[in-house]
């Protein structure tokens, strides 16, 4: 099963990278853009049992390693 | 003869390169703010190491769009003019298409700062003519993204045209393809290298092997005037 | 009437709240309450430690400079400014950002004094590295230091790392920074001249670390009680690098009359302390402060600890000269207020007055005479141990102790060469920096053995000063001045305050003996975990001068046939030694005897031997004693050594 | 309009970060995972005109700045 995980900054946490890229896009003439955020997107394969069990495992992996609960939040999709 | 050192927001080896040219090589040099567009009075432009724009998005990805880069592309078309990109400067030259390939994250995922051994693969360029072929140099590296990569076709071309100027000797610190540490363009007037020659140009810093690179540039420019 | 629950949460005691009512003659507004709480917190006002900090000598061999933030000394025509600060609690919550913002904060304290930052050191303490959570904190802190330090282009040239169970749950991240400038170019953190402008420069303000200053400093983490997590401060080293260049460039315009970085307690601390130092008042309008988030309340703006922000006092009418410099470097710079004659801090939000406090009272944190007792004193004798069966095996085992093993895998992640001044690289006793265009150079180090300070706070603190001095002397440097970072437990518990008091007395007496002024420093209390206080850790940062940097000396043995000489007495004492703690898991006994007079003579002999060129290498004995010192000189020099022990 | 851009490694290009995270997950006992890839996920707001024009602009921004064609490829979604 294919898993897609999106790890993003929590609200209010500064994203210096997003801020700098936004300034760069504006200076390249793209005046109509805002709220640029640079986040992490993780893809992986899981094999075995059921979708529910895969989802339980992905949640555990995110809490344990793939995201830092203090400054990040995550959501994910598991495709059969 | 006049050297120019480009300063991007986030460059941090600009002072170092400026000092080596001025006080060790003893040639005229001035800083060039990244919005400069007139380069014709200069003979050699240095893109120094550092973290231009914080290395955000990709190293050199944003610096490549600075106003000075358009002027630099025209400047580099004249084969009598020399351009050297050191560390972040090399990354910017690749992003700007002045040199082929790209610099990826080090294989061991860590920033590495230490002296390494380099081998001179091609001493027939304005940047390496003072070295002997195959000479081993001791020059420091300090980077997190020095893992050079390009497609097979480009690598074959680099080898055919002898554009690989420096390689890591014996052990490769970052996983760089074909141990590449420094390459030049076909016209051999633009060089990009990850190691820092300006950090090995005075005995007090532990090695003087980098000085001969700047001396090579000096002698190449002397011949042309 | 504000309920006690609220001001207690902000770290204010009932007595302090009554004093506020007396000062204002009315109930404080939320913004005023917040401002008092941060200014009077341990992190800014030092109410519980100020009394003892006065013991530190302020005069020494070289002319000293004691500024508002960092201090320093003068050598030749140069002012050498340095300071050390702690970011212990933020690093325990979020190690990478905690350590990163610690580096950012200490570097700002240096260039706010007008000095170009030229080197950083970091002094770190963790729990047992074999435990996964301690390893996670360790990896995060190292990552934060390399992420921030490398990007701002200030070389990280030294420091030290110790591991002990007592630091589990409360790591120590002490960061030191050194900067230089021409001695007449030093900037002061003062607001001067009625009507002059107050300019805010640097990043936008967000809710970073709200209450970080007082709430964090006044609370320790009990097992599982991790909720005390205000929004963590996030550092942007790219903005800091631009801020360094912009600030130093702005100072060249000669219209900057005073400047202070917004560190702990952000806008509150910088504006009120600049006014207090200048003996004037200040009026600011929060509506003019560039904000990163919507709907921020006035007290949040005043308490925010968003990173990379400075406050400047600039000649009225000349603001644009300064603002344009910051704009050139892509930074915010806007006038937010002005200097006023009444000695008040008046904070407006547009037309609404949200705070109006007498400066002198706000900046004058209460002073507490904390109780102390000797209930924490350690018993003197330690259990006897058998002589090891196999000395070789024991030596190899000792070399593998995390407190002794090489830290190359760590410092090779730090750019320790940028600015091309580093002439002796990390891995020795102290780093040596050359000064471009000068004959002389500088050696820098930091040191402290927390276990010694637990066993005997007074003697342990003296040893920390003596060892830091030795680290400099063996490179050929003459120790010149000291900074410190005093990491201790909860000051309200008498046994913890006893170790603080005795350590401060130990540091003071040793500094007096070595003629070393303490020119700056920092106090960090409430370093505890569920088991109790951390080891008392008065980290000593020290800077020395080499008259001729070409005479620098290093640790590795050089040539075959060289004689090996041991200076000083090798006594039979294992109290608090690494051997006892690592091999036998015993942390008892009296720390090694320190005869300050003998110490000075040993250091003088070593300094002379180096100066006249007899000594080809030199190394000081510390953790692991003679055996480890010999091993290190041999390993680094790729040589062997033949030694006889019968004197 | 909300824009989501996924910048991923081209086939055959080494992803050192992905490999490191995979090894870490395996060592934490998640034996049934493979093919871990750490990629970039960029979020931004575009206002004005039509979805088509926004898509044209996003493509131009990706080609010009947001991705490096030598080692990366990209796909994006524009939500009305």
């Amino acid at each position: 099963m294919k898993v897609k995980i999106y790890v993003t900054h929590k609200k209010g946490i500064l994203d210096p990278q997003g801020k700098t890229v936004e300034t760069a896009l504006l200076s390249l003439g793209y005046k109509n853009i805002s709220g640029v955020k640079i986040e992490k997107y993780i893809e992986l394969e899981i094999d075995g049992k059921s979708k529910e069990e895969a989802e339980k495992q992905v949640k555990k992996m995110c809490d344990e390693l793939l995201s830092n609960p203090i400054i990040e939040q995550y959501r994910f999709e598991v495709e059969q | 003869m006049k050297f120019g050192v480009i300063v991007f927001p986030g460059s941090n080896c600009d002072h170092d390169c400026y000092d080596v040219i001025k006080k060790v090589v003893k040639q005229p040099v001035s800083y060039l703010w990244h919005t400069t567009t007139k380069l014709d009075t200069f003979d050699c432009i240095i893109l120094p190491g550092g973290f231009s724009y914080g290395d955000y998005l990709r190293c050199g990805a944003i610096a490549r769009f600075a106003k000075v880069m358009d002027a630099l592309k025209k400047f580099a078309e004249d084969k009598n003019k020399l351009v050297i990109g050191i560390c972040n400067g090399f990354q910017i030259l690749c992003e700007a298409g002045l040199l082929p390939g790209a610099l990826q994250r080090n294989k061991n995922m860590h920033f590495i700062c230490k002296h390494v051994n380099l081998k001179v693969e091609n001493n027939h360029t304005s940047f390496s003519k003072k070295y002997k072929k195959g000479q081993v140099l001791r020059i420091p590296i300090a980077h997190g993204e020095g893992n050079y990569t390009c497609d097979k076709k480009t690598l074959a071309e680099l080898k055919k045209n002898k554009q690989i100027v420096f390689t890591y000797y014996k052990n490769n610190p970052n996983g760089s393809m074909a141990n590449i540490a420094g390459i030049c363009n076909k016209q051999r007037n633009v060089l990009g290298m990850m190691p820092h020659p300006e950090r090995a140009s005075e005995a007090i810093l532990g090695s003087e092997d980098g000085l001969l690179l700047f001396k090579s540039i000096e002698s190449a420019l002397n011949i042309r005037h | 009437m504000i309920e006690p629950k609220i001001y207690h949460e902000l770290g204010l005691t009932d007595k302090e709240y009554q004093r506020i009512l007396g000062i204002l003659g009315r109930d404080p507004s939320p913004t005023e309450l917040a401002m008092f709480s941060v200014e009077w917190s341990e992190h800014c006002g030092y109410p519980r430690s100020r009394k003892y900090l006065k013991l530190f000598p302020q005069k020494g061999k070289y002319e000293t400079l004691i500024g508002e933030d960092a201090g320093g000394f003068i050598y030749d025509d140069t002012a050498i400014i340095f300071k050390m600060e702690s970011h212990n609690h933020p690093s325990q919550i979020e190690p990478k950002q905690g350590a990163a913002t610690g580096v950012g904060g200490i570097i700002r304290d240096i260039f706010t004094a007008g000095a170009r930052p030229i080197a950083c050191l970091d002094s770190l303490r963790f729990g047992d590295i074999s435990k996964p959570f301690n390893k996670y904190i360790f990896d995060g802190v190292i990552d934060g230091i390399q992420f921030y330090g490398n990007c701002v282009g200030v070389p990280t040239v030294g420091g030290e790392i110790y591991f002990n169970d007592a630091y589990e749950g409360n790591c120590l991240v002490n960061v030191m920074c050194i900067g230089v400038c021409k001695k007449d170019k030093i900037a002061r953190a003062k607001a001067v001249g009625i009507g002059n402008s107050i300019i805010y420069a640097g990043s936008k303000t967000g809710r970073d670390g709200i209450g970080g200053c007082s709430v964090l400093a006044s609370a320790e983490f009990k097992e599982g009680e991790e909720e005390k997590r205000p929004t963590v401060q996030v550092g942007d080293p790219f903005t800091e690098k631009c801020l360094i260049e912009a600030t130093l460039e702005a100072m060249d315009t000669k219209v900057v009359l005073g400047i202070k970085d917004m560190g702990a307690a952000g806008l509150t601390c910088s504006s009120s302390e600049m006014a207090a130092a200048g003996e004037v008042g200040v009026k600011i309008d929060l509506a003019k402060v560039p904000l990163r988030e919507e709907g921020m309340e006035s007290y949040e703006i005043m308490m925010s600890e968003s990173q990379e922000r400075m406050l400047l006092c600039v000649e009225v009418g000349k603001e644009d000269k300064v603002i344009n410099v910051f704009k050139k470097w892509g930074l915010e710079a806007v006038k937010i207020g002005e200097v006023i004659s009444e000695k008040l801090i008046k904070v407006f939000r547009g037309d609404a007055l949200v705070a109006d406090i007498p400066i002198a009272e706000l900046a004058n944190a209460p002073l507490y005479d904390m109780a102390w007792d000797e209930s924490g004193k350690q018993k003197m004798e330690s259990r006897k141990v058998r002589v090891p069966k196999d000395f070789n095996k024991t030596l190899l085992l000792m070399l593998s102790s995390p407190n002794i093993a090489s830290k190359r895998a760590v410092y090779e992640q730090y750019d320790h060469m940028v600015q091309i001044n580093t002439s002796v690289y990390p891995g020795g006793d102290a780093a040596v920096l050359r000064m471009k265009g000068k004959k002389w150079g500088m050696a820098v180090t930091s040191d402290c053995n927390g276990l010694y300070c637990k066993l005997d706070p007074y003697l342990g603190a003296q040893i920390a000063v003596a060892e830091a001095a030795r680290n400099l002397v063996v490179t050929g440097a003459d120790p010149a001045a000291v900074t410190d970072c005093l990491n201790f437990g909860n000051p309200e518990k008498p046994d913890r305050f006893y170790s603080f008091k005795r350590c401060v007395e130990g540091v003071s007496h040793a500094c007096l003996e070595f003629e070393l002024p303490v020119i700056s420093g920092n106090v960090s209390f409430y370093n505890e975990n569920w088991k109790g206080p951390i080891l008392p850790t008065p980290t000593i940062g020290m800077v020395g001068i080499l008259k001729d940097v070409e005479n620098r000396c290093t640790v590795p043995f050089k040539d075959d046939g060289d004689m090996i000489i041991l200076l000083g007495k090798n006594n039979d004492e294992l109290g608090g030694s690494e051997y006892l703690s690592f091999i036998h898991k015993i942390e008892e006994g009296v720390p090694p005897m320190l005869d300050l007079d003998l110490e000075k003579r040993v250091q003088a002999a070593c300094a002379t031997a180096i100066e006249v060129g007899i000594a080809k290498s030199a190394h000081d004995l510390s953790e692991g004693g003679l055996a480890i010192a010999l091993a290190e000189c041999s390993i680094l020099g790729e040589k062997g050594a033949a030694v006889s022990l019968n004197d």
Side-chain angles (χ1 to χ4, degrees), chain A, chain B, chain C:
Chain A
M1 284 174 278
K2 194 163 180 38
V3 177
K4 292 180 177 174
I5 304 166
Y6 308 92
V7 179
T8 58
H9 287 82
K10 269 186 176 168
K11 209 175 149 329
I13 293 288
L14 178 68
D15 172 13
Q17 193 162 211
K19 182 183 74 170
T20 311
V21 170
E22 181 164 321
T23 323
L25 284 171
L26 293 171
S27 67
L28 285 174
Y30 301 104
K31 297 297 182 208
N32 60 347
I33 57 112
S34 63
V36 177
K37 287 239 164 293
I38 313 285
E39 310 290 10
K40 247 181 284 183
Y41 162 59
I42 302 171
E43 273 180 18
L44 56 88
E45 289 290 327
I46 266 189
D47 56 42
K49 324 122 191 154
S50 65
K51 193 171 181 225
E52 289 66 34
E53 275 193 17
E55 278 168 350
K56 214 145 65 33
Q57 179 181 331
V58 171
K59 184 175 184 329
K60 205 157 157 295
M61 291 195 297
C62 287
D63 292 337
E64 208 177 334
L65 178 71
L66 300 179
S67 89
N68 176 344
I70 296 161
I71 50 175
E72 291 171 338
Q73 60 208 6
Y74 63 85
R75 55 182 171 76
F76 59 85
E77 300 142 12
V78 178
E79 288 156 14
Q80 209 59 25
Chain B
M1 179 185 312
K2 199 148 189 292
F3 286 78
V5 177
I6 297 181
V7 181
F8 297 98
S11 297
N12 56 34
C13 304
D14 43 346
H15 296 273
D16 302 352
C17 294
Y18 181 93
D19 281 341
V20 167
I21 300 295
K22 186 155 195 233
K23 294 172 191 150
V24 184
V25 184
K26 294 190 172 58
Q27 288 293 349
V29 56
S30 45
Y31 291 113
L32 292 167
W33 187 239
H34 63 92
T35 53
T36 317
T37 49
K38 267 182 53 44
L39 299 177
D40 37 38
T41 61
F42 289 89
D43 301 294
C44 173
I45 303 284
I46 300 175
L47 287 87
F51 288 68
S52 54
Y53 298 94
D55 273 2
Y56 291 138
L57 187 63
R58 290 183 313 279
C59 301
I62 300 171
R64 153 195 170 197
F65 288 104
K67 284 210 191 63
V68 71
M69 289 305 289
D70 298 337
L72 189 73
K73 279 199 183 109
K74 280 195 217 60
F75 179 90
E77 277 151 17
D78 172 353
K79 66 177 177 37
N80 292 325
K81 301 278 186 181
L82 300 181
V83 174
I84 171 169
I86 299 169
C87 199
N88 189 225
F90 184 16
Q91 293 159 342
I92 296 169
L93 290 175
C94 288
E95 283 281 337
L98 276 163
L99 285 176
L103 279 311
Q104 277 198 288
R105 195 139 182 200
N106 293 348
K107 203 148 73 77
N108 72 353
M109 297 295 299
H110 289 310
F111 187 94
I112 308 167
C113 176
K114 64 179 182 181
H115 282 84
V116 291
N117 291 324
L118 301 184
K119 190 167 136 212
V120 178
E121 298 290 347
N122 175 358
N123 64 342
H124 295 303
T125 78
S126 306
F127 308 98
S128 54
K129 57 191 290 200
K130 289 270 183 188
Y131 294 116
K132 286 194 244 19
K133 176 118 175 53
Q135 185 178 345
V136 175
L137 314 174
R138 214 161 136 56
I139 295 188
I141 58 170
H143 59 249
E145 284 83 16
N147 184 352
Y148 182 80
T149 185
C150 61
D151 56 40
K152 288 206 176 31
K153 196 167 68 57
T154 309
L155 185 60
E157 247 178 72
L158 287 175
K159 286 180 177 163
K160 188 163 63 60
N161 306 332
K162 291 201 175 356
Q163 286 176 250
I164 300 174
V165 181
F166 300 110
T167 55
Y168 297 112
Y169 179 69
K170 285 242 172 68
N171 42 53
N172 178 333
N174 52 31
S176 189
M177 194 178 272
N179 297 329
I180 285 174
I183 58 169
C184 62
N185 61 353
K186 279 206 191 68
Q187 215 176 232
R188 293 196 180 169
N189 71 323
V190 174
L191 175 86
M193 66 190 293
M194 286 312 290
H196 287 262
E198 81 282 7
R199 295 183 180 190
S201 292
E202 294 163 279
I204 193 164
L205 300 178
S207 164
E208 290 181 288
D209 292 350
L211 186 54
L212 284 181
L213 180 138
F214 297 112
K215 290 284 183 191
S216 299
I217 295 173
E218 188 185 36
S219 100
L221 292 176
N222 268 338
I223 293 161
R224 293 194 184 130
H225 283 288
Chain C
M1 219 325 244
I2 295 185
E3 307 126 23
K5 194 171 74 52
I6 294 176
Y7 59 73
H8 286 160
E9 176 64 25
L10 286 173
L12 289 167
T13 63
D14 294 334
K15 214 152 106 354
E16 286 167 350
Y17 181 68
Q18 291 311 322
R19 187 171 156 221
I20 293 171
L21 295 181
I23 292 168
L24 298 177
R26 54 174 170 75
D27 282 347
S29 69
T31 304
E32 286 166 339
L33 191 61
M35 289 169 72
F36 273 111
S37 75
V38 290
E39 268 302 298
W40 288 4
S41 72
E42 198 50 48
H43 203 55
C44 299
Y46 299 103
R48 292 167 188 76
S49 51
R50 220 161 66 232
K51 175 170 182 273
Y52 288 94
L53 299 183
K54 292 195 171 59
L55 291 173
F56 288 142
Q58 300 208 318
K59 288 270 172 290
K61 278 175 270 186
Y62 300 87
E63 185 191 345
T64 53
L65 300 154
I66 311 282
E68 286 73 30
D69 288 317
F73 66 96
I74 301 223
Y75 184 77
D76 187 18
D77 62 349
T78 306
I80 296 161
I81 311 283
F82 62 103
K83 185 182 181 191
M84 191 185 261
E85 273 231 343
S86 67
H87 241 220
N88 306 339
H89 297 109
S91 301
Q92 185 64 37
I93 296 171
E94 165 37 32
K96 177 178 180 177
Q97 289 304 337
T101 50
V103 172
I106 190 63
I107 290 177
R108 279 196 300 281
D109 273 348
I110 298 303
F111 69 80
T112 193
R116 156 73 62 182
I118 60 166
C120 277
L121 294 92
D122 44 82
S123 177
L124 311 174
R125 301 290 187 282
F126 302 99
D128 175 358
I129 193 77
S130 59
K131 292 188 180 160
F133 189 71
N134 293 334
K135 180 72 165 59
Y136 157 73
I137 298 284
F138 171 84
D139 289 339
V141 166
I142 304 297
D143 190 26
I145 292 168
Q146 69 89 22
F147 155 70
Y148 204 100
N150 295 342
C151 182
V152 288
V154 180
T156 302
V157 297
E160 85 283 359
I161 305 176
Y162 282 99
F163 304 91
N164 186 293
D165 289 342
Y167 297 115
E168 182 163 353
N170 195 124
C171 67
L172 297 188
V173 175
N174 297 175
V175 192
M176 174 177 166
C177 184
I178 302 109
V180 291
C181 65
K182 284 281 171 284
K183 65 180 177 189
D184 50 13
K185 279 270 211 60
I186 301 153
R188 302 308 297 266
K190 282 184 178 169
V192 287
I194 311 305
N196 282 332
S197 303
I198 298 293
I199 293 186
Y200 167 112
S203 303
K204 289 188 162 75
T205 296
R207 287 195 174 84
D208 309 59
I210 293 285
C213 170
S214 62
V215 168
L216 265 184
S218 313
E220 70 246 26
F221 300 109
K222 305 224 175 13
E223 174 73 20
E225 191 221 18
E226 303 280 342
E227 301 77 27
K228 279 224 170 356
R229 284 189 193 167
T231 28
V232 168
Q233 307 146 8
V234 172
D236 177 2
F238 168 50
T239 300
E240 176 99 338
K241 169 63 178 173
C242 296
L243 201 56
I244 295 174
E245 302 307 328
T247 305
L248 294 177
E249 205 175 304
M251 287 190 196
D252 288 342
T253 64
K254 303 265 180 303
V255 293
V256 175
L257 307 171
I259 177 167
K260 187 173 174 66
D261 81 295
M262 290 195 232
L267 201 43
T268 303
C269 184
S270 49
S271 53
S272 58
E273 288 187 7
M274 273 179 87
E279 286 158 12
V280 286
V282 71
K283 182 176 80 173
I284 57 177
D285 178 2
L286 298 186
K288 300 220 175 69
V289 173
L291 300 180
R292 195 178 78 227
E293 296 171 58
E294 311 83 29
M296 283 188 74
E297 289 184 53
S298 298
Y299 85 88
E300 286 180 317
I301 300 173
M302 287 306 285
M303 280 177 80
S304 163
E305 290 186 6
S306 294
Q307 299 296 298
E308 295 98 28
R309 299 176 307 156
M310 312 289 290
L311 205 63
L312 299 92
C313 174
V314 173
E315 250 178 81
V316 63
K318 303 267 179 57
E319 297 82 358
D320 282 345
K321 268 186 145 190
V322 169
I323 289 176
N324 292 340
V325 168
F326 284 96
K327 286 267 185 296
K328 167 191 166 190
W329 286 93
L331 298 167
E332 302 278 344
V334 63
K335 174 175 177 176
I336 61 166
E338 60 189 53
V339 179
I340 55 176
S341 52
E342 316 100 306
K343 294 201 168 72
L344 302 166
I345 173 164
K346 286 178 166 311
V347 181
F348 289 85
R349 189 72 182 273
D351 303 331
L353 177 61
V354 293
D356 186 355
I357 305 173
I359 292 281
E361 300 285 357
L362 180 62
N364 170 18
L367 193 63
Y368 293 120
D369 202 348
M370 303 305 288
W372 51 272
D373 68 35
E374 299 191 358
S375 57
K377 257 190 135 190
Q378 305 293 307
K379 51 187 174 29
M380 283 308 150
E381 20 39 69
S382 112
R383 278 165 280 168
K384 290 282 169 274
V385 290
R386 287 187 326 288
V387 176
K389 282 197 285 314
D390 180 341
F391 278 86
N392 290 343
K393 202 156 77 54
T394 307
L395 176 58
L396 288 175
L397 207 56
M398 284 289 286
L399 283 169
S400 73
S401 151
N403 287 336
I404 287 180
S406 158
K407 306 299 189 299
R408 196 156 57 85
V410 171
Y411 63 71
E412 275 190 354
Q413 294 184 50
Y414 304 150
D415 185 345
H416 46 271
M417 300 180 188
V418 65
Q419 299 194 29
I420 54 174
N421 288 325
T422 316
S423 321
V424 172
Y425 293 112
D429 293 304
V432 172
L433 304 166
R434 60 106 180 247
M435 290 294 117
K436 293 189 189 91
K438 304 273 183 192
K439 204 156 134 22
W440 55 273
M442 183 192 306
V444 295
T445 190
S446 72
D447 210 336
C448 181
N449 183 319
L451 182 53
Y452 287 166
C453 294
K454 173 184 170 194
L455 297 173
D456 180 338
Y458 184 76
L459 178 54
Q462 292 202 307
I463 290 172
V465 175
E467 248 176 49
R470 244 183 276 138
N471 285 339
L472 298 183
V473 166
V474 292
T475 68
D478 172 36
V482 164
T483 184
D484 61 52
C485 199
L486 308 174
N487 308 277
F488 290 84
N490 180 347
E492 283 138 37
K493 294 181 177 162
D495 61 315
R496 273 71 148 182
F497 197 80
Y498 171 76
S499 38
F500 169 79
K501 171 183 181 301
R502 288 301 282 156
C503 277
V504 169
E505 285 161 356
V507 169
S508 314
H509 296 159
C511 284
L512 277 167
E513 194 67 32
F514 288 111
E515 288 180 273
L516 292 171
V518 178
I519 47 90
S520 66
N522 173 271
V523 174
S524 170
F525 279 132
Y526 303 101
N527 292 291
E528 310 236 349
N529 54 34
W530 58 93
K531 286 178 282 186
I534 57 161
L535 298 179
T537 311
T539 312
I540 299 298
M542 202 180 279
V543 174
I545 294 292
L546 290 93
K547 287 199 203 57
D548 180 352
V549 77
E550 291 301 342
N551 253 347
R552 61 195 182 282
C553 190
T554 55
V555 170
F557 284 146
K558 297 296 186 298
D559 304 309
D560 302 354
D562 287 350
M563 232 186 347
I564 300 173
I565 297 169
L566 175 62
L567 283 180
K569 283 215 283 324
N570 207 39
N571 299 328
D572 174 12
E573 45 193 356
L574 284 177
S577 65
E578 184 63 18
Y579 172 68
L580 280 188
S581 77
F582 183 68
I583 306 283
H584 300 280
K585 305 298 172 232
I586 296 173
E587 295 189 346
E588 292 163 6
V590 180
M593 185 274 298
L594 175 65
D595 166 351
L596 282 176
D597 180 52
L598 172 63
E599 180 69 34
K600 282 199 292 183
R601 282 187 278 119
V602 163
Q603 290 187 13
C606 178
T608 314
I610 292 171
E611 204 165 340
V612 301
I614 306 171
K616 290 188 185 172
S617 77
H619 189 25
D620 97 294
L621 276 64
S622 54
E623 283 74 27
L626 180 58
I628 295 301
L630 279 169
E632 284 167 345
C633 295
S634 305
I635 294 168
L636 292 170
E638 288 163 13
K639 293 278 177 206
V643 173
S644 89
L645 290 184
N646 34 43
D647 42 339

